[in-house]
Amino acid sequence: MNDSDWPSHLSSEELRTATIAIERPPADTLAIKNRMERAARILSQLDETPRVPSLVVVKPPLTAIRVLPIKEEMNVGRHADCDVPVPESKAMSRQHFVLRVTDGLLMIEDLGSKNGTFINDPKTRLTQSRALRDGDMIFAGEIAFLFVNACDE
Amino acid sequence: MHVTTRFTLIEALRNGGGASAWERFYNTYSSVVISFARRQGCDEHAALDVLQETMMVILRKLPDFQYDRERGRFRNWLMTIASNKVREARRRAKVDRLVSLDAPQEGTHPSLADQLSAETESASDNLERDWRSTLLETALRKILEDPRTNSVSITIFRQVALENIEPSEVARLHGMKENNVYQIKNRIMTRLKAIIAELETGAVSEDC
């Protein structure tokens, strides 16, 4: 394909394909937009943007407390023995959730916590292991965690 | 009197243009990324994931982005990020599917994970084709949704450029001269190309 020619000549076929595509209703991207604004506000509080995959511990509503690099496996909870102890919390369980790197993806699993683990939506409780997306917000008790999947891009 | 000022969204964002610059950037490029992800085979959920992850990279990397007005740089950068995130969405779909093997299947169309075993790596030409189609779709949508666009002009454009009706016949249908039909078609084509150029460079026209 020759970049310098396009879009000087737009064929009827290209136009027809584009017209068909726009008949499809646009996706609702408002939730993503809100997540990005939240992430921007959290990241703006840091001295520097994380350069490795990290978890930003956030005290609601949006106060960044500290940044933790992601390890192969890390359990998170109130207890001091956790890989990520969160002594600031009163509502998290002692062992609340675990993060595991599996096939290059960061998986999160609730460890039977009393108050539950929620991803992005404080109303939808995590019931099975799932892969985290860059920018996902984990809610556990009264503490939140922003996943920042920083790496070479 | 309207005075049109061109500025680049990218420059505004890099210079700390604040919430309004970010909002305009997101409103402009979210549909581009979603559309591209769909063309690459993502369903609605995966396309939203691609959007989220692409925007997160931009949030982090934009301050360091070596921006110049050369047409190719921004678009190649954005396309590379989005296509990487599509690949990650495919991997995630596979893992999520393994986790929920007992869950009931949702929807009737094949999921991204279903395509994995038969999938081959997209050639760079496919990426480029999908990217161009995405930009064209976005530009067309902008024109159609613009309240300033005359509906008769859109009808004429559709008839001539899309349905391949002879300009003379279109002129007859609308009671105008054939030359007017060509002018309308060319005007919309010019707008389409201008919008595509803006999308590729991150430049945005704004009335002030």
Side-chain angles (χ1 to χ4, degrees):
Chain A
M1 282 197 177
N2 189 339
D3 274 347
S4 63
D5 288 344
W6 197 86
S8 303
H9 301 100
L10 292 171
S11 69
S12 296
E13 188 53 41
E14 284 178 297
L15 289 167
R16 212 171 290 122
T17 305
T19 308
I20 292 168
I22 63 175
E23 300 299 324
R24 186 171 45 195
D28 182 0
T29 61
L30 182 59
I32 306 296
K33 186 178 181 182
N34 291 339
R35 275 177 222 169
M36 293 300 97
E37 285 168 4
R38 183 174 60 195
R41 287 168 68 181
I42 292 169
L43 292 176
S44 68
Q45 297 172 51
L46 305 179
D47 290 335
E48 61 172 13
T49 309
R51 295 186 185 278
V52 297
S54 303
L55 215 54
V56 182
V57 184
V58 177
K59 197 166 181 182
L62 288 172
T63 304
I65 301 174
R66 56 180 179 276
V67 180
L68 303 158
I70 300 291
K71 298 179 195 168
E72 284 291 313
E73 180 163 333
M74 40 205 277
N75 55 355
V76 184
R78 253 189 317 115
H79 201 275
D81 285 350
C82 286
D83 298 311
V84 181
V86 189
E88 301 93 338
S89 172
K90 292 180 171 52
M92 288 182 74
S93 293
R94 292 159 68 84
Q95 305 265 349
H96 201 102
F97 63 85
V98 64
L99 299 171
R100 282 190 200 95
V101 177
T102 306
D103 293 329
L105 298 174
L106 186 63
M107 306 295 293
I108 183 169
E109 184 181 343
D110 182 84
L111 292 171
S113 67
K114 181 182 173 191
N115 293 322
T117 303
F118 303 80
I119 311 297
N120 294 322
D121 177 7
K123 299 191 200 80
T124 307
R125 193 166 181 149
L126 187 69
T127 54
Q128 61 187 23
S129 173
R130 66 158 262 179
L132 287 174
R133 283 73 170 156
D134 192 359
D136 274 351
M137 196 83 160
I138 305 164
F139 294 94
E142 76 279 49
I143 300 293
F145 305 81
L146 173 67
F147 172 49
V148 179
N149 194 16
C151 53
D152 287 331
E153 279 123 356
Chain B
M1 183 175 83
H2 282 296
V3 175
T4 300
T5 303
R6 289 181 67 82
F7 71 99
T8 66
L9 270 176
I10 313 305
E11 286 169 337
L13 286 172
R14 278 167 52 84
N15 296 334
S20 64
W22 169 251
E23 178 140 358
R24 295 201 68 196
F25 180 89
Y26 184 86
N27 289 342
T28 300
Y29 289 100
S30 56
S31 54
V32 172
V33 174
I34 289 276
S35 175
F36 177 72
R38 280 172 166 166
R39 285 176 195 282
Q40 289 278 293
C42 291
D43 63 18
E44 183 86 359
H45 294 295
L48 288 171
D49 286 345
V50 171
L51 172 62
Q52 177 175 316
E53 296 208 304
T54 299
M55 287 296 170
M56 278 296 288
V57 174
I58 289 168
L59 259 182
R60 287 198 298 274
K61 294 282 188 174
L62 196 56
D64 299 329
F65 176 66
Q66 293 297 313
Y67 179 73
D68 60 47
R69 294 204 178 218
E70 179 195 325
R71 182 182 175 137
R73 278 195 79 86
F74 175 68
R75 61 100 78 188
N76 289 343
W77 184 61
L78 184 59
M79 186 176 78
T80 301
I81 296 170
S83 59
N84 287 341
K85 296 311 168 187
V86 166
R87 270 197 293 279
E88 288 179 27
R90 288 177 179 141
R91 281 199 300 127
R92 230 181 356 247
K94 187 179 180 185
V95 171
D96 282 349
R97 189 172 187 230
L98 289 171
V99 166
S100 60
L101 274 174
D102 294 328
Q105 292 293 309
E106 288 181 19
T108 56
H109 55 271
S111 72
L112 209 47
D114 289 332
Q115 301 170 39
L116 279 174
S117 57
E119 184 186 85
T120 56
E121 190 68 33
S122 284
S124 60
D125 264 6
N126 284 341
L127 280 179
E128 183 64 33
R129 181 201 63 203
D130 283 352
W131 187 254
R132 288 177 177 181
S133 297
T134 295
L135 293 186
L136 183 53
E137 177 194 330
T138 305
L140 203 49
R141 197 189 289 273
K142 273 179 175 288
I143 289 175
L144 294 178
E145 291 174 357
D146 188 341
R148 294 172 296 182
T149 305
N150 184 287
S151 58
V152 172
S153 297
I154 291 294
T155 303
I156 289 171
F157 178 75
R158 279 183 187 267
Q159 288 170 334
V160 172
L162 307 179
E163 297 166 26
N164 286 328
I165 299 175
E166 285 295 323
S168 56
E169 177 61 16
V170 173
R172 188 190 67 78
L173 288 168
H174 292 273
M176 59 174 60
K177 293 181 183 168
E178 192 173 331
N179 197 41
N180 291 348
V181 170
Y182 281 110
Q183 283 178 343
I184 288 169
K185 179 199 167 188
N186 289 341
R187 208 159 42 230
I188 292 185
M189 289 292 276
T190 300
R191 278 179 70 191
L192 265 177
K193 292 169 192 173
I195 292 171
I196 289 170
E198 287 179 355
L199 289 170
E200 296 221 295
T201 59
V204 175
S205 295
E206 182 177 54
D207 288 343
C208 63

